[in-house]
């Protein structure tokens, strides 16, 4: 569904991505793991058109989307839940969700999707009119996921959705990801929490200072000695 | 002070406050969305007034056609200023855009002096718009009713746009976080243009009504009202639309009452704005309705 070939990104003099090649097949969860600063976020930001690559190609459903504007990429079906949630703190929960559906015109369907999201996150329903900035960290993460789903993406990219959440909530977030996936979504997931991510992923890539150093089916990577040592903190 | 003059002062205060409020909204909306103090905003009053002036007196258009055209021209100018002078600097340090804004303001003022002449011109008062009303013992201009009514309608409209429409939600989202808004498929440029259009349109209406109320126009006429309205916006909490409205009314009413109650202080009329501003900021540094969104990270 999504294909990246030899993607390179520079931030000024910093060579953040040094030729990344990866693929996200339809109806799969693919995860990208790696240490801080490896270039995970940069990869997703390049896909969304927030940073422009200096070389390489990104194709989505066969169409070249390299260098396209963010708005068009989102309209084309790729939605990113950015690192740090980035909910609109000055908007209500409901308004945040409406923003997710900004490009859509199908009022009836939007309403239905809103209902589904409130089903998925009953806590958001109770807080419909609350300013999003006053939500707890976990609630904000749910709002960020809900808001992204409101755009009805074909590919959902999540940048560390479990960041800063209590262990119980982390589990909940992973359950939600699994749920969304079971409903037929294609997901590209970044996680610090490599163990959990590799558990639910069909396929995984390990990123190290701008390069992919390992790849394979999620469970296989989870069992790989090198990965276990470097990212799972196990001998 | 007799009851009549007191009522007269109230009416004047409401009118002046209305004008301040209308113009202050442009400052606050633009600041809210691109964190820029749009110094050129003040000069839009002048442009609108001259456009209306030429429409009526030179092109002999009906007054309402001139007024509408003036609003359209001013709106287009406001949008163009954003495109030409601010958009290329959007990712530059904020001070660059600020200097650009001052530049645009000087440019408009000096173009006005060169092209239109520095000498003040009398602004026409169409008799369908400005007439005397006699009520009991007092008499007043129709503008005392027209200005507040038009202002009220426009303020309600702006509040509806900002709070209830999708574009309004997008405006507030963009004002918070450009990048994330674009991840929601919001075309940031379109939202910014809409903001400038609304602000400039209101400034045009404010400018025309200003010139009807004080019927003498010159190329620098926008400077002082602009400064006052900027103060009103800061007083209300810059970035907040209802704040600008409240700030505008406080300032207008306060100024008129100061002069009415203490005529010996009327020389300090313009200083009044600054004193109130300082007092308010001392107690509420963010302004009356300044944003203080709770944020957890
Ligand atoms: N805007 C920027 N300007 C300059 N350098 C940047 C910028 N964003 C990221 N970088 C650099 O690019 C490299 C990759 O950053 P990136 O954010 O993609 O890492 P990451 O894998 O997401 O890390 P983390 O797990 O900490 O989120 C880092 O060395 C970082 O310092
Ligand atoms: Mg990151």
């Amino acid at each position: 569904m999504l294909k990246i070939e030899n993607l390179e990104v520079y931030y000024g003099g910093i060579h953040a991505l040094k030729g990344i090649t990866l693929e996200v097949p339809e109806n799969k969860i693919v995860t990208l793991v790696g240490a801080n600063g490896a270039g995970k976020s940069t990869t997703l930001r390049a896909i969304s058109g927030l940073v422009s690559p200096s070389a390489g190609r990104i194709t989505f459903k066969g169409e070249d989307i390299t260098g396209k504007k963010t708005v068009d990429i989102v309209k084309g079906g790729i939605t990113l839940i950015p690192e740090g949630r980035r909910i609109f703190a000055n908007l209500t929960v409901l308004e945040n969700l409406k923003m997710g559906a900004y490009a859509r015109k199908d009022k009836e369907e939007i309403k239905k999707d809103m209902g589904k999201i409130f089903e998925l996150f009953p806590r958001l329903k109770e807080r419909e009119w609350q300013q999003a900035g006053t939500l707890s960290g976990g609630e904000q993460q749910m709002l960020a996921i809900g808001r992204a789903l409101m755009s009805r993406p074909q590919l959902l990219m999540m940048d560390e959705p479990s960041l800063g959440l209590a262990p119980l909530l982390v589990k909940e977030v992973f359950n939600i990801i699994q749920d969304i996936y079971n409903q037929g979504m294609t997901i590209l997931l970044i996680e610090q929490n490599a163990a959990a991510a590799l558990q639910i992923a069909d396929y995984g890539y390990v990123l190290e200072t701008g390069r992919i150093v390992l790849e394979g089916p999620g469970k296989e990577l989870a069992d790989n000695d090198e990965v276990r040592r470097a990212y799972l903190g196990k001998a | 002070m007799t009851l009549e003059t007191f009522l007269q002062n109230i009416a004047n205060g409401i009118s002046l406050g209305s004008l301040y409020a209308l113009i202050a909204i442009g400052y606050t909306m633009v600041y809210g969305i691109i964190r820029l103090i749009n110094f050129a905003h003040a000069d839009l009053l002048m442009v609108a007034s001259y456009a209306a002036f030429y429409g009526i007196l030179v092109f002999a258009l009906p007054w309402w056609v001139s007024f509408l055209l003036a609003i359209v021209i001013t709106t287009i100018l406001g949008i163009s200023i954003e495109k030409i002078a601010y958009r290329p600097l959007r990712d530059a340090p904020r001070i660059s855009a600020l200097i650009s804004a001052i530049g645009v303001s000087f440019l408009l003022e000096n173009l006005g002096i060169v092209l239109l002449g520095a000498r003040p011109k009398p602004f026409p008062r169409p008799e369908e718009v400005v007439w005397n009303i006699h009520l009991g013992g007092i008499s007043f201009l129709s503008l005392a009713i027209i200005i507040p009514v038009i202002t009220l309608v426009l303020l309600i409209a702006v509040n509806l746009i900002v709070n209830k429409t999708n574009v309004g939600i997008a405006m507030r989202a963009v004002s918070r976080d450009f990048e994330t808004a674009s991840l929601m498929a919001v075309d940031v440029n379109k939202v910014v243009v809409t903001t400038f259009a609304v602000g400039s349109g209101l400034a045009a209406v404010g400018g025309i009504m200003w010139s009807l109320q004080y019927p003498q126009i010159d190329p620098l006429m926008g400077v002082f009202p602009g400064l006052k309205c900027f103060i009103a916006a800061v007083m209300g909490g810059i970035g907040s639309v209802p704040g600008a409205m409240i700030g505008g009314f406080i300032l207008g009413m306060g100024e008129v009452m100061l002069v009415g109650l203490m005529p010996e202080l009327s020389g300090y009329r313009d200083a009044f704005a600054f004193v109130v501003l300082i007092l308010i900021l001392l107690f509420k540094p963010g302004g009356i309705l300044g944003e203080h969104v709770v944020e957890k990270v």
Side-chain angles (χ1 to χ4, degrees):
Chain A
M1 187 177 214
L2 179 83
K3 263 193 191 139
I4 300 179
E5 294 157 83
N6 294 314
L7 191 71
E8 293 194 42
V9 171
Y10 283 89
Y11 291 110
I14 299 170
H15 201 176
L17 296 186
K18 302 166 185 163
I20 299 245
T21 299
L22 63 80
E23 192 174 341
V24 184
E26 199 162 350
N27 299 330
K28 300 278 184 221
I29 300 185
V30 172
T31 185
L32 214 56
V33 298
N36 291 116
K40 307 180 297 291
S41 299
T42 303
T43 307
L44 297 198
R45 293 169 59 79
I47 297 170
S48 283
L50 294 174
V51 294
S52 37
S54 58
R57 233 160 72 94
I58 306 168
T59 50
F60 183 61
K61 295 194 297 181
E63 189 195 346
D64 190 343
I65 59 164
T66 328
K68 266 194 165 186
K69 282 200 296 184
T70 303
V71 173
D72 298 321
I73 291 171
V74 178
K75 283 185 183 161
I78 304 180
T79 296
L80 169 66
I81 303 176
E83 196 167 10
R85 308 176 190 121
R86 307 277 284 267
I87 48 114
F88 301 111
N90 55 336
L91 268 50
T92 65
V93 168
L94 192 67
E95 287 172 336
N96 266 279
L97 292 174
K98 279 188 181 165
M99 282 307 296
Y102 189 74
R104 294 173 55 186
K105 299 277 174 284
D106 45 345
K107 282 217 171 94
E108 283 305 305
E109 292 294 304
I110 290 176
K111 228 184 224 159
K112 259 192 228 160
D113 284 0
M114 194 83 83
K116 274 192 213 158
I117 280 161
F118 285 140
E119 235 168 76
L120 194 61
F121 306 112
R123 280 157 76 171
L124 293 183
K125 175 76 190 161
E126 293 158 22
R127 292 167 173 77
E128 224 178 356
W129 298 106
Q130 196 170 322
Q131 272 221 335
T134 63
L135 295 177
S136 78
E139 289 160 357
Q140 289 190 7
Q141 187 60 58
M142 288 167 195
L143 180 57
I145 296 174
R147 186 180 62 177
L149 290 175
M150 284 304 293
S151 68
R152 272 213 185 163
Q154 295 162 37
L155 170 64
L156 181 62
M157 305 194 293
M158 305 185 178
D159 196 341
E160 304 205 26
S162 73
L163 190 73
L165 300 184
L168 214 65
L169 270 176
V170 172
K171 231 176 136 190
E172 203 178 321
V173 166
F174 275 98
N175 286 337
I176 288 162
I177 296 172
Q178 191 88 52
D179 273 358
I180 296 170
Y181 165 70
N182 289 339
Q183 287 166 25
M185 184 76 71
T186 309
I187 297 174
L188 177 52
L189 173 69
I190 289 187
E191 262 301 333
Q192 288 284 337
N193 197 334
L198 290 171
Q199 274 312 317
I200 63 166
D202 296 295
Y203 204 82
Y205 292 88
V206 179
L207 211 58
E208 225 173 80
T209 56
R211 281 202 183 83
I212 288 172
V213 292
L214 257 180
E215 62 178 279
K219 307 237 157 52
E220 238 169 70
L221 279 186
D223 292 336
N224 181 299
D225 284 341
E226 233 176 293
V227 176
R228 287 168 68 96
R229 212 173 314 118
Y231 302 106
L232 306 181
K234 290 169 194 158
Chain B
M1 191 162 39
T2 63
L3 183 65
E4 274 98 55
T5 44
F6 181 71
L7 291 177
Q8 187 80 55
N9 277 327
I10 297 262
N12 288 346
I14 291 176
S15 285
L16 187 61
S18 301
L19 294 173
Y20 283 162
L22 271 186
I23 301 161
I25 288 176
Y27 281 109
T28 222
M29 284 180 83
V30 166
Y31 183 86
I33 210 148
I34 57 172
R35 308 286 139 174
L36 169 75
I37 298 162
N38 181 14
F39 282 103
H41 190 66
D43 302 301
L44 295 180
L45 307 191
M46 177 269 288
V47 171
S49 301
Y50 272 96
F53 173 90
Y54 279 95
I56 293 176
L57 292 182
V58 177
F59 296 102
L61 298 170
W63 61 270
W64 58 274
V65 177
S66 300
F67 287 2
L68 282 180
L69 268 180
I71 294 168
V72 171
I73 290 172
T74 310
T75 306
I76 293 174
L77 178 66
I79 295 171
S80 314
I81 293 174
E82 188 273 324
K83 273 208 176 122
I84 297 166
Y86 305 153
R87 193 176 299 177
L89 294 170
R90 200 173 291 160
D91 296 323
R94 246 189 270 166
I95 189 79
S96 311
L98 198 68
I99 292 168
S100 185
I102 295 172
V104 173
S105 174
F106 282 177
L107 178 72
L108 289 176
E109 287 162 17
N110 288 293
L111 270 182
I113 291 174
V114 171
L115 299 177
L116 311 169
R119 228 171 334 125
K121 292 184 164 63
F123 192 78
R125 281 178 152 177
E127 56 193 28
E128 295 89 339
V129 185
V130 188
W131 71 90
N132 267 307
I133 298 174
H134 302 278
L135 229 166
I138 51 173
S139 86
F140 52 90
L141 280 183
S142 56
L143 290 174
I145 294 169
I146 292 176
I147 291 178
V149 168
I150 290 185
T151 302
L152 188 69
V153 171
L154 291 176
L155 295 191
I156 290 172
V158 168
N159 269 315
L160 285 179
I161 291 176
V162 171
N163 291 321
K164 297 281 183 258
T165 65
N166 273 347
V167 177
I169 301 176
M171 279 178 182
R172 285 178 286 139
V174 168
S175 78
R176 193 72 193 181
D177 187 341
F178 267 53
E179 191 175 279
T180 308
S182 72
L183 284 175
M184 311 286 119
V186 174
D187 187 332
V188 171
N189 283 336
K190 261 192 209 161
V191 173
V192 172
V193 165
T194 311
T195 307
F196 271 85
V198 172
S200 310
L202 293 180
V205 177
I208 293 169
M209 296 201 296
W210 186 282
S211 297
L212 287 169
Q213 178 82 309
Y214 311 102
Q216 206 176 53
I217 61 175
D218 70 88
L220 300 183
M221 62 173 279
V223 176
F224 249 94
L227 190 59
K228 298 272 184 62
C229 295
F230 172 61
I231 292 175
V234 175
M235 245 161 57
I238 192 138
S240 154
V241 172
M245 298 175 187
I246 294 172
F249 277 106
I250 290 181
L251 203 57
M253 190 58 91
E255 232 179 70
V256 170
M257 282 300 166
L258 176 85
V259 176
L261 295 174
M262 291 173 276
E264 65 277 9
L265 289 183
S266 49
Y268 292 98
R269 182 180 180 146
D270 291 332
F272 169 79
F274 293 96
V275 174
V276 177
L277 175 71
I278 291 168
L279 284 180
I280 289 182
L281 293 189
L282 269 181
F283 294 103
K284 291 210 74 181
I288 298 167
L289 295 182
E291 267 190 44
H292 45 90
V293 178
V294 193
E295 203 160 1
K296 291 203 183 84
V297 184

